[in-house]
Amino acid sequence: MASLKEILTRRPVSATIRLTVPAGGARPAPPVGPALGQYRLNLMAFCKDFNARTQKYKPDTPMAVTITAFKDNTFEFTVKSPSVTWYLKKAAGIESGSGRSGHVVVATLTPKHIYEIAKIKQSDPYCQYMSLESICKSIIGTAKSMGIKVQNELD
């Protein structure tokens, strides 16, 4: 339950914007410029903050960002790590998944790859309270739907 003070100091939200922007590559050009410009947000402030937060990632890594725009033309944003499918494609060294998942296997990964991806995804806001085992199971399910086989140690 929110306290009365929190309710009174809450700022009215005008929009929630979800974008995928390359790490360290936010510029006031499309797709960032038009998305933020229609809510009269400060483009350069967003670009500088986003690029500073994502400088530890390799350039051109697709980062999901959720921007909350307020009525007073201010904003807050959260940056999530790249998607699981992007990590799986990089680990497997493929351009895209299988067109017929479950029938055609396009690559094979080891449990070590899955574990490393899970450790990275554990820092995401939505996964921080999940166990590493459940994140691994979710990643294995995503890999199967892409046509990537996860090798067992026993095979």
Side-chain angles (χ1 to χ4, degrees):
M1 254 336 254
S3 69
L4 183 62
K5 184 178 179 183
E6 288 174 356
I7 293 171
L8 293 175
T9 59
R10 206 176 279 165
R11 296 182 286 179
V13 175
S14 64
T16 303
I17 308 158
R18 298 179 75 200
L19 298 170
T20 302
V21 184
R27 290 171 189 75
V32 178
L36 300 185
Q38 70 185 25
Y39 298 105
R40 298 179 183 216
L41 302 179
N42 188 343
L43 294 173
M44 288 312 294
F46 170 77
C47 291
K48 285 180 182 175
D49 289 349
F50 178 84
N51 292 339
R53 283 196 205 177
T54 59
Q55 67 185 3
K56 66 180 181 180
Y57 292 96
K58 288 183 180 175
D60 298 327
T61 302
M63 306 295 287
V65 60
T66 305
I67 306 160
T68 306
F70 299 105
K71 297 265 188 204
D72 60 352
N73 295 343
T74 58
F75 63 89
E76 292 176 351
F77 67 95
T78 56
V79 180
K80 290 174 36 179
S81 62
S83 66
V84 170
T85 56
W86 185 82
Y87 279 121
L88 287 170
K89 286 191 273 187
K90 284 289 178 188
I94 56 175
E95 270 308 303
S96 65
S98 171
R100 297 184 59 207
S101 59
H103 299 284
V104 179
V105 175
V106 291
T108 306
L109 292 178
T110 63
K112 184 179 180 190
H113 289 109
I114 304 297
Y115 178 73
E116 291 298 323
I117 295 170
K119 280 189 1 189
I120 295 168
K121 290 304 282 184
Q122 198 172 27
S123 66
D124 264 8
Y126 298 111
C127 298
Q128 64 186 12
Y129 299 114
M130 292 172 66
S131 68
L132 203 57
E133 183 182 358
S134 61
I135 296 171
C136 285
K137 286 180 181 178
S138 172
I139 294 170
I140 290 170
T142 304
K144 284 181 181 176
S145 71
M146 292 174 65
I148 298 173
K149 183 180 183 229
V150 179
Q151 202 174 26
N152 284 341
E153 298 291 318
L154 304 173
D155 289 349

